[in-house]
């Protein structure tokens, strides 16, 4: 599994697609950051940042990590050489998570440096710690989205299914749930809802047990994805 | 007794209502160059998919190097190299594509480049720099073979390796197969519907028709000679008698070796693969 992760990381990092999206993310960040003039605005931007990083990171990673493999059929070679489908699924998810982590770390540094030096804002140690936590939770949320998307990608053997599901969940999940569930009970049990509650628990000095549920969700998505993948007939 | 590296027993596979494999039994022994023959749709590729774990069987057993349980099968699949279509990244060149598979296979450090140099040299692609998407079919097949022999696998599976190749390309593949078998001791399974070509490549043959291996034969079966009188009669004894009765003297009988193609069509019937 480790060998496949090494091979995938090396291959994906040679694709210009990733760097184009990193550059785009930086441009958006500079354009947004320069217009900031208050701490309040900056906090609002933190939320927006989490969403746009999710989009800007997910699309190129899915295209390069999964899309190229579906197109070239390289997964078939890897399976034929004795790597089990479960291990393949998990190693792709780990590789995706490492790449996502890179994107989120870059987004944080970009955001932090930009606001400190360009917008001349000042972060207290507590604010810095909370921003780090927020970025970290954004990453966890994105890993959960990848795990969910992999169910559809392996079921349909197509990267578009994954991209559409992730974009749909990022853009519309909350809007749809707000429309159909005024109580917010359904949102509370979604990954997003649990992460929000977990964050609130940390702020209140309580144990964020919600994060454990998120990890259980990720494991469940992997198990379901593997069930689909195991049944998939692979064509030569 | 020969050691069976790949053995299939009563393997059945159904897609919906269509029964693709109807109980395949075949055995590939250590050191074989085993030719799998059959027309398109006979089930050759499905047999390979079963061996490689790309498709699940409905019934039967596949054993690789003596193992039949899934965990050990996966472990033993690491001993198989295969060429099944061209599974490469279009934007990477030959070396970079092989690097991906070499690292995934567990090569580290200098061994990666050493192994890639070795296999690219064997298929004569060492100096090719352009990305895979610009390769001719012949180059694609050669890179596929280079990938298949990466790490010197014990078993080599080549699915239609001469498809779309010119005569020189076909001869090159044949020579490579013999070299891998004789010099590197690889057991090779090669499928083709070009019977004349396969006859010059393999030592043993499995004839697949409508989802079953109808017969496994060896070169010796092909070497059995039979008298041929070039006359439009099928019964030779009767032909001799008739000719003798008519006072016609037979001056020469030509003993011809049965070609694989003849053998195949006699067994299966028809003439169009």
């Amino acid at each position: 599994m480790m060998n496949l992760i090494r091979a995938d990381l090396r291959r994906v990092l040679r694709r210009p697609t990733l760097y184009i999206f990193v550059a785009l993310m930086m441009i958006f960040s500079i354009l947004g950051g320069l217009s900031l003039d208050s701490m309040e605005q900056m906090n609002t931007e933190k939320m927006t940042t989490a969403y746009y990083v999710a989009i800007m990171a997910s699309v190129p990673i899915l295209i390069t990590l999964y899309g190229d493999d579906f197109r070239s059929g390289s997964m078939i070679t890897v399976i034929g050489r004795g790597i089990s489908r479960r291990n393949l699924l998990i190693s792709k998810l780990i590789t995706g998570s490492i790449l996502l982590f890179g994107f989120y770390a870059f987004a944080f540094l970009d955001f932090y440096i930009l606001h400190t030096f360009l917008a001349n804002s000042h972060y207290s140690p507590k604010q810095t710690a909370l921003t780090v936590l927020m970025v970290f939770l954004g990453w966890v949320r994105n890993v959960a989205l990848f795990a969910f998307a992999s169910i559809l990608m392996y079921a349909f053997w197509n990267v578009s299914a994954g991209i559409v599901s992730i974009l749909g969940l990022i853009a519309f999940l909350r809007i749809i749930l707000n429309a159909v569930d005024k109580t917010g009970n359904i949102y509370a049990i979604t990954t997003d809802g649990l992460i929000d509650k977990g964050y609130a628990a940390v702020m209140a000095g309580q144990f964020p047990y919600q994060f454990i549920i998120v990890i259980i969700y990720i494991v469940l998505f992997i198990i379901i994805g593997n069930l689909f993948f195991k049944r998939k007939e692979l064509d030569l | 007794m020969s050691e069976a590296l790949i053995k299939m027993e009563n393997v059945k596979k159904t897609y919906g209502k269509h029964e693709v494999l109807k109980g395949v039994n075949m055995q590939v022994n250590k050191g074989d160059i085993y030719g799998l023959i059959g027309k398109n749709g006979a089930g050759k590729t499905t047999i390979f998919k079963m061996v490689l774990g790309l498709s699940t069987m409905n019934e039967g057993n596949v054993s690789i190097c003596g193992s039949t349980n899934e965990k050990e099968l996966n472990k033993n699949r690491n001993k198989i190299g295969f060429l099944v279509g061209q599974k490469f990244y279009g934007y990477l060149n030959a070396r970079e594509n092989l690097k991906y598979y070499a690292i995934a296979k567990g090569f580290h450090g200098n061994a990666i480049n050493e192994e890639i140099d070795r296999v690219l040299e064997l298929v004569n692609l060492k100096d090719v720099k352009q990305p895979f998407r610009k390769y001719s079919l012949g180059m694609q097949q050669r890179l596929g073979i280079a990938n298949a022999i990466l790490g010197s696998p014990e078993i080599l599976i080549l699915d239609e390796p001469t498809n779309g190749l010119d005569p020189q390309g076909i001869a090159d593949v044949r020579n490579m197969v013999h070299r891998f078998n004789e010099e590197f001791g690889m057991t090779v399974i090669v499928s083709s519907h070009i019977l004349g070509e396969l006859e010059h490549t393999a030592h043993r043959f499995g004839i697949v028709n409508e989802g079953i291996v109808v017969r496994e034969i060896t070169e010796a079966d092909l070497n059995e000679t039979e008298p041929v009188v070039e006359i439009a009669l099928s019964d030779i004894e009767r032909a001799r008698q008739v000719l003798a009765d008519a006072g016609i003297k037979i001056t020469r009988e030509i003993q011809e070796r049965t070609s694989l193609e003849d053998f195949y069509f006699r067994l299966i019937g028809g003439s169009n693969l």
Side-chain angles (χ1 to χ4, degrees), chain A:
Chain A
M1 202 193 288
M2 286 304 294
N3 293 327
L4 189 58
I5 293 171
R6 272 195 319 136
D8 268 328
L9 278 175
R10 189 184 174 284
R11 174 182 66 80
V12 168
L13 289 172
R14 300 178 77 86
R15 283 279 267 158
T17 317
L18 281 189
Y19 303 102
I20 292 168
F21 274 79
V22 169
L24 282 173
M25 204 166 75
M26 211 162 83
I27 291 166
F28 289 147
S29 177
I30 290 169
L31 292 175
L34 289 177
S35 64
L36 288 177
D37 52 21
S38 72
M39 208 66 186
E40 199 177 305
Q41 246 187 342
M42 204 167 72
N43 283 334
T44 313
E45 207 209 335
K46 268 190 219 163
M47 289 307 295
T48 319
T49 302
Y51 286 104
Y52 96 81
V53 172
I55 293 170
M56 299 301 271
S58 298
V59 173
I61 293 173
L62 290 181
I63 288 173
T64 52
L65 185 60
Y66 293 91
D68 286 351
D69 276 21
F70 288 130
R71 201 167 30 247
S72 68
S74 63
M75 276 190 207
I76 288 166
T77 303
V78 169
I79 293 168
R81 282 190 174 155
I83 292 183
S84 72
R85 297 182 189 209
R86 188 197 60 196
N87 284 357
L88 176 79
L89 185 148
I90 294 171
S91 61
K92 289 276 175 197
L93 191 61
I94 292 173
T95 310
S97 305
I98 294 169
L99 292 166
L100 276 175
F101 190 82
F103 262 87
Y104 277 83
F106 182 84
F108 168 73
L109 288 175
D110 180 39
F111 187 84
Y112 193 75
I113 292 167
L114 198 72
H115 290 78
T116 306
F117 297 105
L118 290 180
N120 204 24
S121 309
H122 178 70
Y123 274 98
S124 69
K126 193 183 174 190
Q127 279 174 320
T128 305
L130 285 176
T131 308
V132 169
L133 177 65
M134 193 172 247
V135 171
F136 177 76
L137 292 177
W139 172 71
V140 172
R141 176 173 165 272
N142 217 150
V143 171
L145 284 171
F146 266 35
F148 177 80
S150 64
I151 297 174
L152 300 170
M153 287 191 292
Y154 290 116
F156 294 106
W157 202 245
N158 188 328
V159 73
S160 308
I163 294 175
V164 169
S165 67
I166 285 188
L167 294 182
L169 285 171
I170 292 171
F172 302 116
L173 179 70
R174 197 149 193 183
I175 298 169
I176 293 169
L177 288 181
N178 281 344
V180 297
D181 173 38
K182 300 288 178 200
T183 61
N185 290 339
I186 298 176
Y187 179 74
I189 57 165
T190 63
T191 312
D192 278 13
L194 288 165
I195 286 176
D196 286 352
K197 279 200 165 181
Y199 182 75
V202 171
M203 297 291 282
Q206 295 163 352
F207 180 73
Y209 70 89
Q210 293 86 350
F211 296 158
I212 296 168
I213 303 173
V214 172
I215 292 166
I216 293 169
Y217 278 11
I218 293 174
V219 173
L220 278 177
F221 293 151
I222 291 171
I223 291 169
I224 298 167
N226 189 44
L227 285 177
F228 278 103
F229 195 16
K230 263 173 84 172
R231 287 159 185 240
K232 188 81 193 165
E233 292 285 331
L234 301 174
D235 283 324
L236 295 175

Side-chain angles (χ1 to χ4, degrees), chain B residues 262-273:
Chain B
D262 290 339
F263 197 101
Y264 176 82
F265 286 126
R266 225 168 39 218
L267 192 69
I268 302 300
S271 61
N272 189 17
L273 278 178

